[in-house]
Amino acid sequence: MTDTADTQSAPPSAASSANKRRTGRKSKVRRAAALLGALAVVGGMYSYATPSNAETNASASQAEMMKTGQGIYDKTCITCHGANLEGVKDRGPSLLGVGAAAVYFQVSTGRMPMTRQEAQTIRKPAKFGHDDTLALAAYIGQYGGPAIPEVSKESIKNANLAEGGELFRLNCASCHNFVGQGGALSSGKFAPSLKHATPVDIYSAMLTGPQNMPVFSPNQLTDEQKVNIIAYVESLQKTTDPGGASIGRTGPVPEGLVIWLGGISFMLICTVWIAGKS
């Protein structure tokens, strides 16, 4: 009888019950922490895989810009450049692959739309505002070509003016004049003055090569060298007296003409004087 009573389980003590309750609470806390961790991982993966609100808004803004640009194109460009941007014979070239930079340069400087076909497109007040110009550039730029370049004031401030001047004289002065006043070319064409050209205008022109201007690829001029040239042109724009005879500031042609006329006049006077003496 005594052995049977010893083998019966004793009633749980208060300490044992407290331990069980603590163990149960810890288990619940661990399960809750695990659940929260799993939710955090799933949430992170979902936010990584799905576009953010900012990206969604940016896509919507880009789509709206494309729509605006297409509307402008259909109203003002389609006659000369065709419905598919492939160009129209004897009216306008293909715009496929010209890039947003070319559109920005031509439209922001008023060269496009052209009022008539002529040898040289000239700068005039822009027909479209800044936002419309960017929209048109975005629409045409989606078919390839260089994007609109960015030139910060800080990069120009830190540019190498000496190298920019040397590169300008080597690559640009033969057409634009050594002080950026422009110059005549053949067949009724001319290199325009750079007096009112903005940094983005100059950079875009170097990337796209409008009309007779060559394209300066990265192999010919690096981005840093292009900025150095832009900084040098800006310094020319701020210079009131670049030197030389002030005969229109158009380079050696008028100066040579004046020297030639002066020399011929002097020789004629000498000839008449000698003839009178004889």
Side-chain angles (χ1 to χ4, degrees):
M1 293 295 288
T2 302
D3 294 339
T4 304
D6 292 341
T7 56
Q8 290 179 348
S9 59
S13 63
S16 176
S17 299
N19 288 333
K20 288 182 179 180
R21 286 196 295 271
R22 283 197 295 271
T23 304
R25 285 197 295 271
K26 289 181 180 179
S27 178
K28 291 179 180 178
V29 170
R30 284 197 293 269
R31 286 198 296 269
L35 179 60
L36 289 175
L39 289 175
V41 171
V42 173
M45 294 175 64
Y46 177 79
S47 62
Y48 179 78
T50 56
S52 63
N53 290 335
E55 290 174 337
T56 303
N57 293 336
S59 299
S61 176
Q62 183 70 11
E64 186 66 24
M65 181 180 288
M66 292 282 187
K67 184 178 179 181
T68 302
Q70 184 175 9
I72 296 171
Y73 180 86
D74 291 343
K75 290 179 181 177
T76 58
C77 313
I78 195 171
T79 303
C80 296
H81 297 288
N84 298 320
L85 288 80
E86 296 178 344
V88 177
K89 185 178 180 182
D90 298 330
R91 288 188 181 179
S94 170
L95 298 182
L96 297 175
V98 300
V103 179
Y104 181 84
F105 174 81
Q106 298 288 354
V107 177
S108 67
T109 59
R111 289 177 167 86
M112 292 288 165
M114 290 180 68
T115 55
R116 63 187 181 199
Q117 294 288 342
E118 50 193 346
Q120 179 75 38
T121 56
I122 59 175
R123 187 186 185 108
K124 57 184 182 294
K127 182 175 180 178
F128 302 113
H130 182 67
D131 291 343
D132 286 344
T133 301
L134 293 180
L136 184 60
Y139 173 66
I140 298 176
Q142 67 178 315
Y143 298 101
I148 301 173
E150 296 182 0
V151 189
S152 66
K153 292 183 178 179
E154 190 68 21
S155 63
I156 295 178
K157 182 180 178 181
N158 297 326
N160 187 334
L161 274 181
E163 185 187 53
E166 183 178 353
L167 292 171
F168 181 85
R169 288 186 289 274
L170 182 63
N171 296 281
C172 317
S174 59
C175 295
H176 290 283
N177 183 281
F178 70 100
V179 291
Q181 294 286 348
L185 302 174
S186 61
S187 304
K189 300 177 181 178
F190 62 89
S193 167
L194 302 178
K195 184 177 180 181
H196 300 292
T198 67
V200 179
D201 290 344
I202 301 170
Y203 207 142
S204 298
M206 287 191 282
L207 292 177
T208 60
Q211 293 209 293
N212 293 307
M213 183 170 169
V215 175
F216 292 97
S217 67
N219 293 330
Q220 295 170 292
L221 291 174
T222 64
D223 292 343
E224 183 179 357
Q225 289 173 327
K226 289 184 176 76
V227 173
N228 290 341
I229 291 176
I230 291 169
Y232 178 72
V233 172
E234 277 212 328
S235 71
L236 290 177
Q237 293 171 340
K238 298 174 183 175
T239 302
T240 55
D241 185 0
S246 57
I247 310 171
R249 300 295 186 196
T250 53
V253 174
E255 296 178 6
L257 179 62
V258 169
I259 293 173
W260 183 81
L261 289 174
I264 290 294
S265 299
F266 178 75
M267 292 179 65
L268 286 174
I269 292 173
C270 290
T271 301
V272 171
W273 181 77
I274 292 173
K277 288 292 182 181
S278 62

